[in-house]
């Protein structure tokens, strides 16, 4: 994965999204950084297009075993794939997996306050803005930005899925 994504390190937008400095990273330095994203109670998965090709982004999660809560983030590095619903598709699949298969109680998504597409996505998925961490992050250009905590409970996700299935079913019935 590190070899296939090393070119991301030269993309200033991509690296800014990761709060890392862009430049010519060595393979080993990039591999080591990616390796640190996975570990005990942490996972990092690559995102590939369905029709093949190289990785276009990644999603990572961190479990708090004491509370059965998960923090999660998605990163779409490929500019040609941004805005095409990839983050929404992966978020829905991840939320289903975490809430239904794993029985996680709560998922929190941390979003930079300047990332309006991610904020819009979180709200459309049913997340609630629970906190604002004022000026808690430093951008590469030196400006300080807020981080927002969006949370969703298992019961909220299951209710949304049940409502969506009911709406879908009633739509089919109405056509008959």
């Amino acid at each position: 994965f590190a070899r296939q994504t090393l070119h991301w390190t030269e993309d200033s937008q991509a690296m800014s999204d990761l709060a890392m400095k862009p430049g010519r990273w060595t393979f080993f330095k990039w591999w080591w950084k990616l390796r640190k994203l996975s570990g005990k109670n942490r996972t990092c998965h690559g995102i590939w297009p369905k029709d093949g090709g190289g990785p276009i982004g990644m999603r990572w999660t961190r479990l708090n075993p004491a509370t059965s809560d998960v923090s999660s983030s998605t990163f779409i590095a490929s500019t040609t794939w941004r805005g095409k619903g990839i983050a929404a598709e992966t978020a829905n699949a991840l939320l289903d997996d975490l809430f239904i298969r794993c029985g996680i109680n709560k998922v929190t998504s941390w979003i930079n306050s300047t990332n309006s597409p991610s904020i819009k996505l979180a709200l459309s998925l049913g997340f609630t803005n629970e906190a604002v961490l004022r000026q808690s992050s430093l951008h590469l250009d030196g400006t300080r930005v807020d981080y927002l905590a969006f949370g969703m409970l298992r019961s909220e996700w299951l209710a949304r899925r049940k409502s969506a299935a009911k709406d879908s079913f009633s739509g089919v019935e109405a056509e008959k």
Side-chain angles (χ1 to χ4, degrees):
F1 185 74
R3 193 168 313 282
Q4 293 174 303
T5 59
L6 183 60
H7 67 278
W8 293 353
T9 62
E10 296 179 30
D11 180 339
S12 59
Q13 177 63 49
M15 294 306 281
S16 177
D17 290 348
L18 292 172
M20 297 179 202
K21 289 186 178 183
R24 288 193 133 318
W25 287 45
T26 65
F27 168 76
F28 181 76
K29 183 179 175 184
W30 181 238
W31 172 82
W32 188 255
K33 190 66 165 175
L34 292 175
R35 185 177 176 269
K36 289 170 69 175
L37 294 175
S38 292
K40 186 177 181 183
N41 301 322
R42 293 187 315 260
T43 62
C44 180
H45 297 104
I47 301 170
W48 278 263
K50 290 178 182 176
D51 59 356
I56 59 173
M58 58 186 166
R59 172 172 278 287
W60 53 95
T61 58
R62 182 177 184 156
L63 171 68
N64 180 341
T67 61
S68 185
D69 297 345
V70 166
S71 294
S72 177
S73 291
T74 300
F75 167 66
I76 305 298
S78 173
T79 55
T80 58
W81 284 94
R82 288 184 184 165
K84 297 198 175 177
I86 303 299
E89 186 177 345
T90 60
N92 277 299
L94 177 73
L95 292 170
D96 268 350
D97 193 46
L98 291 173
F99 288 132
I100 295 169
R101 189 179 65 82
C102 299
I104 296 298
N105 179 60
K106 180 179 180 181
V107 172
T108 303
S109 184
W110 297 92
I111 303 173
N112 175 322
S113 63
T114 63
N115 188 343
S116 53
S118 291
I119 294 169
K120 183 178 176 183
L121 173 61
L123 293 172
S124 73
L125 290 169
F127 279 83
T128 301
N129 188 350
E130 297 181 333
V132 177
L133 300 167
R134 297 180 308 146
Q135 297 185 2
S136 61
S137 182
L138 192 62
H139 264 227
L140 297 177
D141 65 5
T143 59
R144 293 192 171 274
V145 297
D146 300 344
Y147 254 82
L148 309 175
F150 287 87
M152 182 181 295
L153 301 175
R154 181 176 192 264
S155 58
E156 295 167 337
W157 179 251
L158 296 177
R160 284 181 65 84
R161 290 189 86 240
K162 186 176 181 179
S163 176
K166 181 180 172 186
D167 292 344
S168 175
F169 180 74
S170 63
V172 171
E173 290 297 310
E175 291 176 10
K176 288 184 179 179

